[in-house]
Amino acid sequence: MKVYYPSPQKYSKPKIKLIIFLSVFVFLALVFGGGYLVYASDFFKIKNIEVVGVKDFSKEDLVADLKDFFKNQSKTSLFLGSDNILVWRVEVNAFLAKTPQLKNLIVQKDILSRFVKVEVVEREKFGIWCLIKKNITLENTSSTVEQAGVNENCFWFDKEGILFVEAPVIEGELFNKVIDSTGRDLKLGDKILDDRLLENLVKVFEVFDTVDLKSKTIFINDLKIEEVTVMPAGFPKTLFSLRFDPRFSIVAIDALKKSGRWQKVEYADFRVENKVYYKFKQ
């Protein structure tokens, strides 16, 4: 028995050209249609941006900075524009690096509803760090920034020791303040001290609050010796080490204050752990 197989269907040249034409047409339609959907239409255009957690930072400035940041991440992002939700990403470490006022930032987006939510955590002001070019004479009993010769190179810093925004030159003892005459060149985003020294610096300010030392200003002249000086007007010059916890000094200062002899002290030295050295005025 013979088996007959149908011969393969042969397409004519016009049909082949038509198939190719239709394939190219469909492909181009998909490309241009997709391009229009992504770029020209409102399908991916952000409807609303919600910002939560801001206190001192302007919402308008933050949104403008984020739009500029995301838009310039790539040539594609630059082409699509900052109002396209596709260019907004969750990776923002580079943005935080150039915006030290923000401790953290989270971007959440819903593409279907074209909604973006930005949650921020701002750095909290713990104190003011002022840089000067000359050393402070430790015999000087003034703790004012102006008399110390400080220009307006001052920054707010948080408990993590990050300089995050410029600060005015503030007189008086309303705020924690550090006068740095080490000659260092610090800028926004820099860390003032390593973690070990920073932790004890914060504790020196705790001593101030606990014993009401009548001063919130610390002088640092030389980081190599890891020591700080407090010179409250009308009160004893006080020296602390940043190598260990300074809070052992609280008991000694409190005892001297209760005895009425604190104002008679010329200086109090707490640079040796758990030991107190002081000298009375002549």
Side-chain angles (χ1 to χ4, degrees), residues 110-125:
D110 187 330
I111 294 179
L112 293 180
S113 61
R114 291 177 283 164
F115 171 75
V116 175
K117 182 178 181 180
V118 180
E119 297 183 49
V120 301
V121 177
E122 294 186 26
R123 295 191 181 276
E124 295 186 4
K125 296 175 180 177

Side-chain angles (χ1 to χ4, degrees), residues 24-88:
V24 172
F25 176 80
V26 171
F27 174 76
L28 292 176
L30 290 174
V31 170
F32 285 104
Y36 174 81
L37 188 67
V38 172
Y39 175 70
S41 75
D42 290 338
F43 190 81
F44 290 106
K45 186 175 182 180
I46 297 173
K47 280 185 176 181
N48 185 32
I49 300 175
E50 180 185 1
V51 180
V52 297
V54 293
K55 297 177 182 177
D56 298 327
F57 209 99
S58 164
K59 289 185 180 181
E60 293 75 16
D61 290 344
L62 177 59
V63 170
D65 290 346
L66 282 171
K67 284 185 175 182
D68 185 65
F69 170 75
F70 287 123
K71 182 182 66 176
N72 290 287
Q73 290 303 292
S74 67
K75 291 183 179 179
T76 302
S77 299
L78 191 62
F79 173 75
L80 294 176
S82 59
D83 289 328
N84 190 305
I85 197 170
L86 297 179
V87 309
W88 285 63

